[in-house]
PDB file of all heavy atoms in Angstrom:
ATOM      1  N   CYS D 383     125.484 191.352 119.225  1.00  0.00           N
ATOM      2  CA  CYS D 383     124.977 192.250 118.221  1.00  0.00           C
ATOM      3  C   CYS D 383     123.759 191.789 117.542  1.00  0.00           C
ATOM      4  O   CYS D 383     123.646 190.734 117.027  1.00  0.00           O
ATOM      5  CB  CYS D 383     126.126 192.425 117.209  1.00  0.00           C
ATOM      6  SG  CYS D 383     125.618 193.387 115.852  1.00  0.00           S
ATOM      7  N   CYS D 400     128.203 195.307 114.675  1.00  0.00           N
ATOM      8  CA  CYS D 400     127.775 196.362 113.683  1.00  0.00           C
ATOM      9  C   CYS D 400     128.027 197.844 114.241  1.00  0.00           C
ATOM     10  O   CYS D 400     128.288 198.680 113.506  1.00  0.00           O
ATOM     11  CB  CYS D 400     126.397 196.262 113.347  1.00  0.00           C
ATOM     12  SG  CYS D 400     125.196 196.792 114.676  1.00  0.00           S
ATOM     13  N   GLY D 401     128.049 197.999 115.511  1.00  0.00           N
ATOM     14  CA  GLY D 401     128.270 199.274 116.109  1.00  0.00           C
ATOM     15  C   GLY D 401     127.029 200.194 115.979  1.00  0.00           C
ATOM     16  O   GLY D 401     127.015 201.277 116.350  1.00  0.00           O
ATOM     17  N   CYS D 403     123.589 199.039 116.873  1.00  0.00           N
ATOM     18  CA  CYS D 403     122.310 198.417 117.396  1.00  0.00           C
ATOM     19  C   CYS D 403     122.465 198.612 118.881  1.00  0.00           C
ATOM     20  O   CYS D 403     123.561 198.993 119.329  1.00  0.00           O
ATOM     21  CB  CYS D 403     122.256 196.860 117.126  1.00  0.00           C
ATOM     22  SG  CYS D 403     123.379 195.878 117.878  1.00  0.00           S
ATOM     23  N   CYS D 406     125.332 196.752 120.727  1.00  0.00           N
ATOM     24  CA  CYS D 406     126.670 197.141 120.389  1.00  0.00           C
ATOM     25  C   CYS D 406     126.925 198.633 121.012  1.00  0.00           C
ATOM     26  O   CYS D 406     127.931 198.891 121.624  1.00  0.00           O
ATOM     27  CB  CYS D 406     126.761 197.467 118.860  1.00  0.00           C
ATOM     28  SG  CYS D 406     127.334 195.947 118.020  1.00  0.00           S
TER      29      CYS D 406
HETATM   30 ZN1   ZN T 702     125.326 195.563 116.566  1.00  0.00          ZN
END
Side-chain angles (χ1 to χ4, degrees):
C383 173
C400 77
C403 72
C406 279

